[in-house]
Amino acid sequence: MLGRSLIDIDNLEDHHISDIIDLAKVFKKYFKDGALHRLVDSTKASRKLVYLFFTEPSTRTRVSFETACDRLGVKAIYLSAGRSSVAKGETVEDTINILKALKPDALIFRSKKLKIPMEDLLSSPIPLINAGLGTQSHPSQSLSDALTILEDRGQIKGERVLIVGDVLHSRVAHSNVKLLSRLGAEVAYCSPKGLAPRNEVWKNFKNFDELNEGVKWATVLVSLRVQEERHGDLLGSIGFSVAEYRDKFRIGYDQVNIFSPEGIILHPGPAIRGVEISNFALRDSRCRILNQVENGLYVRLALLSLILDLKV
């Protein structure tokens, strides 16, 4: 992974995935033992500089990447679109190229869209890390989800993962279906027809029309936020109200009661209480949302350590 960019799960070979998850587990153990410094070359880390450039809001991803930098001893500089020349009309692509020209050791970005070919992103002399690209991909979040499933279920191969909700607009769902299926999980989805996935990646995966049928089948439930801010191109074609969505696609009391006693409930966040997931489900002992958040830190520690070559 040294010096490599990470834009999509497809950019990772199988051994890269194993390396990231295995190292994340090591970071977690050492962090809890108060011995993180034993894993990191502090002299090398202190000379590293990372930029974070986000054009969309973020809590978990931004803070976990910044926290990872701080824990590693790497300096991080954050720039939002509103405080950059994007606010004056400069394109996101030009801003990224300008930041690259300043020669950071890595550039972490989040953007609604990016008009740069994948081959150009991957061949960048400055490692680029996708922290959420529109509706397309969010690789570090899917790696965090994989680690959470592996920790709790003891395996990923053979797990039955049901992704519920606004699959069409979910970059996490698009990364999860690639990663988890590669690791041997069965993946299915349940969504309103207007929010069902449309790209080729999903065409061979199971689709449940009835939520309860899918819940009975699953060992892992992944609830998704309804991304209304991305529905502008679908006005009038989604065909449901918020109340109808809650009735048919919310993970609530009925679903929790028929779900596997050993299963786990995930949500990449932010979770809109009462819409896609109920307070009852969020309080259930099988809910692992905070575990996902914590594991996101260890995955990003591992990613930065591997890309910047910081491990002792």
Side-chain angles (χ1 to χ4, degrees):
M1 291 293 295
L2 175 61
R4 292 176 64 99
S5 292
L6 175 56
I7 311 301
D8 190 89
I9 287 298
D10 290 341
N11 306 151
L12 298 174
E13 303 291 341
D14 289 348
H15 67 91
H16 294 139
I17 295 169
S18 298
D19 288 347
I20 294 165
I21 291 177
D22 289 346
L23 185 55
K25 290 190 285 188
V26 174
F27 268 114
K28 186 170 188 174
K29 180 182 184 306
Y30 275 66
F31 183 84
K32 289 182 179 296
D33 291 343
L36 197 64
H37 60 281
R38 296 181 186 172
L39 289 177
V40 180
D41 184 332
S42 59
T43 301
K44 187 183 291 186
S46 67
R47 296 197 295 263
K48 300 294 184 180
L49 173 65
V50 170
Y51 292 163
L52 295 95
F53 175 50
F54 282 42
T55 69
E56 291 187 305
S58 174
T59 299
R60 296 150 195 79
T61 305
R62 174 192 164 180
V63 174
S64 62
F65 266 120
E66 286 188 297
T67 301
C69 288
D70 187 73
R71 297 296 191 189
L72 291 168
V74 172
K75 183 173 179 58
I77 296 177
Y78 173 76
L79 180 66
S80 68
R83 292 183 177 273
S84 75
S85 291
V86 169
K88 301 177 182 178
E90 184 173 79
T91 67
V92 171
E93 293 80 8
D94 283 344
T95 303
I96 286 176
N97 286 329
I98 287 162
L99 294 175
K100 285 168 57 180
L102 295 172
K103 305 302 181 186
D105 295 287
L107 171 57
I108 301 165
F109 70 89
R110 168 172 287 196
S111 179
K112 185 176 181 179
K113 58 184 177 179
L114 205 57
K115 297 176 181 176
I116 302 176
M118 180 66 76
E119 56 268 25
D120 291 348
L121 292 169
L122 295 177
S123 63
S124 168
I126 307 297
L128 302 174
I129 302 174
N130 170 14
L133 180 55
T135 62
Q136 299 173 42
S137 58
H138 196 345
S140 64
Q141 180 61 51
S142 62
L143 288 160
S144 305
D145 292 355
L147 175 59
T148 305
I149 295 169
L150 184 61
E151 277 189 337
D152 208 280
R153 297 288 299 165
Q155 62 185 14
I156 294 176
K157 186 176 182 179
E159 291 301 304
R160 299 186 297 276
V161 181
L162 180 69
I163 300 175
V164 182
D166 189 355
V167 182
L168 177 64
H169 297 100
S170 175
R171 52 193 168 210
V172 175
H174 296 327
S175 287
N176 271 352
V177 74
K178 291 180 178 182
L179 177 62
L180 299 179
S181 61
R182 273 180 68 179
L183 296 176
E186 294 182 64
V187 181
Y189 67 94
C190 178
S191 67
K193 289 183 179 178
L195 299 180
R198 299 176 185 176
N199 60 39
E200 289 294 304
V201 173
W202 291 86
K203 71 176 184 179
N204 294 320
F205 289 92
K206 189 189 298 285
N207 172 29
F208 286 96
D209 293 324
E210 295 293 330
L211 177 57
N212 286 352
E213 289 181 15
V215 170
K216 291 176 183 176
W217 168 85
T219 58
V220 178
L221 292 179
V222 182
S223 177
L224 301 173
R225 182 175 66 89
V226 180
Q227 300 189 37
E228 293 182 90
E229 72 276 16
R230 304 192 196 277
H231 292 182
D233 58 334
L234 292 173
L235 290 177
S237 67
I238 296 174
F240 63 85
S241 64
V242 172
E244 289 170 328
Y245 182 91
R246 286 198 302 263
D247 289 343
K248 294 182 179 180
F249 299 100
R250 180 179 61 180
I251 305 297
Y253 179 85
D254 291 343
Q255 290 69 45
V256 167
N257 281 341
I258 62 173
F259 184 45
S260 168
E262 291 80 33
I264 59 172
I265 301 169
L266 305 178
H267 193 305
I272 310 304
R273 291 173 177 265
V275 178
E276 70 266 3
I277 190 166
S278 70
N279 288 328
F280 185 83
L282 289 167
R283 291 194 299 267
D284 190 85
S285 62
R286 291 161 290 182
C287 183
R288 296 291 183 271
I289 293 174
L290 292 181
N291 302 72
Q292 287 174 275
V293 174
E294 182 183 359
N295 284 336
L297 171 61
Y298 305 123
V299 162
R300 288 159 185 136
L301 280 166
L303 269 176
L304 289 169
S305 178
L306 289 166
I307 291 170
L308 299 175
D309 190 27
L310 300 181
K311 193 171 182 294
V312 173

